[in-house]
Amino acid sequence: MEDIVSLCKRRGFVFQASEIYGGLAGFWDYGPLGVEIVNRIKAEWWKAMVSENDNIYGVDGAIIQNPKLWEASGHVAGFTDPLVDCKNCGARHRADHLAGTDSTDLAELKVLLKDKVCPTCGKKSLTEPRTYNMMMKTWVGPIEDDSSVAYLRPETAGSIFTNYENVRETMRAKLPFGVAQIGKAFRNEISPRDFIFRVRELEQMEMQYFIHPENQDQAYEEWREFAWKFLTERLGIDKQNLQWHEHAENERAHYAAAAHDIYFNFPQGFKELWGTHNRTDYDLSNHQRVSGKDLQYFDDATRERFLPYVIESSVGVGRMFLAVMTDAYHEEDINGDKRVVLKLKPELAPYRVAVSPLLKNKPELAQKAQEVYNILKNKFGNVVWDDNGNIGKRYRRQDEIGTPYCVVIDFDTLEDDTVTIRNRDTTKQERIKITDLEAKLC
Ligand code: GAP
């Protein structure tokens, strides 16, 4: 993890939020190279989820909604984590993490934590576990009292449920159909940790798939398969780094009747990356009850009226970014020298290619290199100019940030319009014509 955190900072992928003021636990900023990868991940997910499916519609809901939404959804009462306080030093810890279990059952945790000491001060002075609500509160309007309290959304799914009927009607959608959204969510995590793995401001990519209840098993399997394929085929993540984890009953969120996570082999071990949940009609029935609006679906063909079930696909953008970086990070020994290389899928890399003149101080080389750079920049956009240090250093620098190819313009280029193109993964170099570069890089 240290190597990845250090690379992310050093090369402009991720910075601590408000670092010059000492940062703020659980908040991170993406830098110039990080935001490129994040944007590509989101674009790929949107393409696979929305653009390539006829029956999935996108929305972009507000972060702050009417607080009744979160009462109806059960988050005000049930969006909790188990917590213990230290009576000696005042530290607070996630009870399930301290107990080393996935269970959030308070009675079970009490037994498991009986002999534990506080990890901060080492004293045996922990309170009994209790639940702690993770929603972040704010006030809407100029009066800060109970009547103006609102919540920063803890999941993006909320406004998908409240827009279910709007989307169905305006899109003339028939079951099964899905509604997808990418956006920020906020959780007052007790112990944010492991770099960007557990944060307080996160971004989610979520999709709720509305179905006839009798199709729940089939749809659940389909969306589990979608997640697996997206990670392995669209992002190129190694299958060895992925495994399934089925939630036990005492582990599931309050809305889920079934849940399967894909765990990724993060630097701190296999941990949750992507969840598929069967939310049944839990959300729609609660929103129908609290809002008083009829949210039933009427099937013209069968003349049946019922509340759809929902299969949810939910993944965090930051966790996906960390998985992509971890999967791509390699250290290699080249003739006794350590080479750090990010073997990113070329489509995810911040830059598709780096262009260099062999020697910076030869105007004829720099001019020719600039011409090649302009051609590639017009075609691909994400092309970087690099004339700093010697060629070996430039290669190492580009390897570290995952640039799949480096193109070098030398004296032969001036004679025959060929360049050297060097492959990040194999480190092999070949000589090709400038006119063949675009095709080679596609
Ligand atoms: N709508 C369902 C839902 O929010 P979740 O399992 O709580 O389910 C879904 O979260 C995904 O969001 C997780 O699988 C994870 O990728 C990401 N996520 C959740 N909490 C997070 C946190 N504190 N920091 C970073 N990512 C988080």
Side-chain angles (χ1 to χ4, degrees), residues 20 72 74 137 187 293 305 337 351 364-365 414 421:
I20 59 168
K137 276 186 190 171
R187 298 181 179 188
K293 300 275 182 316
R305 194 179 288 281
D337 261 358
Y351 300 117
E364 63 275 37
L365 291 187
L414 304 178
I421 181 163

Side-chain angles (χ1 to χ4, degrees), residues 139 141-142 168 201 252 259 316-317 329 364 436:
W139 293 270
R168 189 199 63 73
E201 176 177 336
R252 280 183 221 138
V317 176
Y329 184 91
E364 63 275 37
D436 293 337

Side-chain angles (χ1 to χ4, degrees), residues 6 11 14 50 88 125 139 154 156 191 247 270 274 288 305 309 329 335 344 388 434:
S6 142
R11 303 310 311 273
V14 181
V50 182
N88 180 51
S125 49
W139 293 270
T156 61
S191 42
H247 282 219
F270 275 95
W274 190 326
Q288 177 168 272
R305 194 179 288 281
Y309 267 33
Y329 184 91
N335 305 326
L344 293 167
N388 236 330
I434 291 173

Side-chain angles (χ1 to χ4, degrees), residues 79 154-155 157 187 189 196-199 202 204 206 255 272-275 277 279 312 314-316 319:
F79 191 59
E155 57 169 5
R187 298 181 179 188
E189 293 283 351
I196 52 173
F197 177 81
R198 187 176 305 288
V199 292
L202 57 137
Q204 291 186 311
E206 296 201 298
Y255 47 70
E272 175 184 344
L273 169 60
W274 190 326
H277 313 131
R279 290 178 78 135
E312 169 180 71
S314 173
V315 60
R319 278 197 198 172

